[in-house]
């Protein structure tokens, strides 16, 4: 076996975990999770990823790499007014929706028919607040934050995949050496904490449904595209269904949604891993092993994040989502005919609007689809009689 197989798997796991753990912490804080519940969240989701990645890679003989839903976590972190119990209820509903999508092909095709511009506008509206908060973190500690921002943009010129990880590690060391961190916590093994779900209409509509749509449109469909680009021919149903099943099983312990990976998968599916595509599936077990280690020490990792300066956590989360934000904006505005619906979706989502207890992501999607529908009617000349009447009256 080529050494490039385990190396690629471990690099993908470390980059995926270390570069976005700050977003998990932000999501947990947004729903009022305790440190114990946050540790359980990290442990449960890492275990889910390890098992599903190991099973799917071995079963399909393809490098099927899974991840937590980074845009989904950003959605949770940007939400307000939900408790941890409601979040768990929303995770359960999302898992059921993903299982249903895996079992019924028409659901996958239906989600795929949501225009990429509108879906990306919603995603960009979710992510933009993190980029803004990263800039707002500068006045809190400019001597720590400004050098890290500079380092991020320099490093990403040479290796974008590790730029966020370098900022996290470098910022943590700088905070420790300059006395910004009182002391490191005692290492401890992780435990799972059962959290009672609470189901509410507001959480289902405002959290579960947008989480499902973001996970499908921004993660699962992209993950399938990465596999196809590498020359594989995956069956979408079983892959999505399995990630939905493990999302459902991990939800009572705080674990949020898992899905097919895109960026991490790209590291594990290319010819640099192995010239023979039939051998690349072996990255899956090594990737699973890495996340099993993360699961075991999840409590210690969460405890370390708890003592780091808040400005550093906000910065890392914002920088980690900068590239997805740029990509979402470029897709949202690419098609000139759909720019207005995409812009409306972005504006409503970014506004943080809460109406009838339902969050902005849902209303942004609704607003964008309504404007898109009106634009389509206009193109079909359906408004021409009304236009002629208006011109006559005026």
């Amino acid at each position: 076996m080529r050494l490039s197989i385990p190396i690629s798997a471990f690099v993908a796991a470390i980059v995926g975990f270390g570069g976005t753990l700050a977003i998990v912490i932000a999501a947990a804080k947004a729903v009022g999770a305790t440190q114990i519940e946050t540790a359980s969240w990290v442990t449960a989701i890492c275990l889910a990823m390890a098992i599903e990645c190991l099973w799917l890679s071995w079963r399909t003989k393809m490098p099927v790499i899974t991840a937590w839903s980074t845009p989904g976590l950003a959605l949770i972190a940007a939400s307000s007014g939900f408790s941890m119990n409601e979040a768990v209820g929303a995770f359960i509903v999302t898992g059921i929706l993903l299982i249903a999508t895996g079992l019924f092909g028409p659901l996958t095709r239906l989600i795929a028919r949501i225009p990429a511009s509108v879906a990306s506008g919603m995603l960009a509206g979710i992510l933009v607040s993190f980029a803004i908060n990263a800039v707002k973190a500068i006045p809190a500690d400019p001597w720590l934050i400004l050098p890290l921002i500079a380092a991020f943009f320099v490093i990403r010129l040479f290796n974008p995949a590790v730029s966020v990880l370098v900022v996290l590690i470098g910022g943590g060391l700088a905070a420790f050496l300059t006395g910004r961190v009182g002391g490191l916590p005692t290492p401890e093994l992780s435990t799972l904490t059962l959290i009672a779900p609470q189901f509410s209409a507001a959480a289902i509509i405002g959290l579960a449904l947008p989480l499902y749509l973001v996970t499908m449109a921004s993660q699962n469909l992209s993950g399938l595209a990465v596999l196809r680009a590498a020359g594989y021919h995956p069956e979408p149903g079983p892959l999505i269904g399995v990630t939905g099943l493990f999302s459902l099983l991990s939800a009572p312990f705080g674990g949020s949604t898992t899905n097919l990976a895109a960026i991490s998968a790209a590291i594990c599916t290319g010819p640099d891993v192995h010239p023979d595509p039939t051998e690349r599936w072996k990255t899956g077990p090594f990737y699973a092993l890495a996340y099993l280690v993360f699961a075991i020490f999840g409590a210690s990792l969460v405890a370390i994040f708890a003592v780091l300066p808040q400005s550093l956590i906000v910065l890392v989360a914002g920088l980690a989502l900068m590239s997805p934000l740029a990509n979402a904006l470029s897709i949202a505005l690419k098609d000139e005919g759909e720019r207005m619906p995409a812009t409306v979706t972005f504006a409503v989502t970014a506004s943080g609007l809460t109406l009838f207890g339902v969050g902005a992501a849902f209303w942004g999607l609704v607003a964008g689809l309504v404007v898109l529908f009106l634009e389509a009617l206009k193109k079909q000349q359906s408004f021409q009689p009304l236009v002629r009447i208006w011109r006559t009256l005026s």
Side-chain angles (χ1 to χ4, degrees), residues 349-360:
T349 305
S351 72
L353 169 72
T354 299
L355 193 61
F356 307 118
V358 178

Side-chain angles (χ1 to χ4, degrees), residues 85-353:
N85 303 89
E86 287 180 305
V88 169
F91 299 160
I92 291 174
V93 172
T94 305
I96 293 172
L97 289 173
L98 290 172
I99 293 171
T101 303
L103 293 176
F104 304 106
L107 272 177
T108 304
R109 292 190 290 272
L110 179 63
I111 298 300
R113 291 187 64 182
I114 295 176
S117 58
V118 173
S120 297
M122 179 180 69
L123 179 58
I126 293 168
L127 301 181
V128 69
S129 63
F130 290 88
I132 293 173
N133 288 336
V135 177
K136 288 181 177 180
I138 295 174
D141 196 345
W143 295 108
L144 175 66
I145 301 301
L146 285 174
L148 292 176
I149 293 176
F152 169 79
F153 285 105
V154 170
I155 294 169
R156 75 181 303 275
L157 294 175
F158 306 98
N159 196 331
V162 302
S163 55
V164 176
L165 189 61
V166 170
V167 169
L168 173 61
I169 296 174
L173 288 174
F176 179 76
L177 294 175
T178 56
R180 290 174 169 86
V181 177
L184 294 177
T186 304
E188 57 179 315
L189 297 179
S190 299
T191 57
L192 292 171
T193 301
L194 197 61
I195 304 169
Q198 181 179 339
F199 300 95
S200 67
I204 291 173
I205 298 173
L207 198 59
L209 184 57
L211 179 58
Y212 165 71
L213 293 173
V214 165
T215 300
M216 281 298 303
S218 301
Q219 295 285 154
N220 282 331
L221 297 181
S222 298
L224 290 169
V226 169
L227 285 171
R228 293 190 180 109
Y232 299 98
H233 304 283
E235 286 290 333
L239 303 187
I240 295 172
V242 168
T243 60
L245 174 62
F246 282 97
S247 295
L248 177 62
L249 294 176
S250 62
F253 302 100
S256 53
T257 310
T258 56
N259 48 250
L260 300 177
I263 297 175
S264 299
I267 299 174
C268 298
T269 56
D272 290 342
V273 177
H274 199 288
D276 184 359
T278 62
E279 292 292 315
R280 297 174 197 165
W281 72 270
K282 295 176 183 176
T283 56
F286 287 104
Y287 185 87
L289 176 61
Y291 269 92
L292 180 60
V293 174
F294 294 151
I296 293 172
F297 295 102
S300 294
L301 294 169
V302 170
I304 291 173
F305 267 74
V307 300
L308 291 176
Q310 182 61 28
S311 57
L312 175 61
I313 304 301
V314 171
L315 175 69
V316 171
L319 295 179
L321 294 171
M322 198 70 73
S323 181
L325 172 61
N327 185 59
L329 287 172
S330 66
I331 296 173
L333 302 177
K334 182 178 181 180
D335 190 334
E336 185 176 354
E338 297 179 357
R339 283 179 185 170
M340 182 56 70
T343 301
V344 170
T345 304
F346 170 79
V348 175
T349 305
S351 72
L353 169 72

Side-chain angles (χ1 to χ4, degrees), residues 28-55:
K29 287 184 178 180
V31 294
T34 65
Q35 186 169 323
I36 293 175
E37 290 171 338
T38 303
S40 180
W41 184 328
V42 172
T43 301
I45 199 170
C46 287
L47 284 174
M49 289 168 56
I51 297 171
E52 64 195 12
C53 185
L54 177 62
W55 167 254

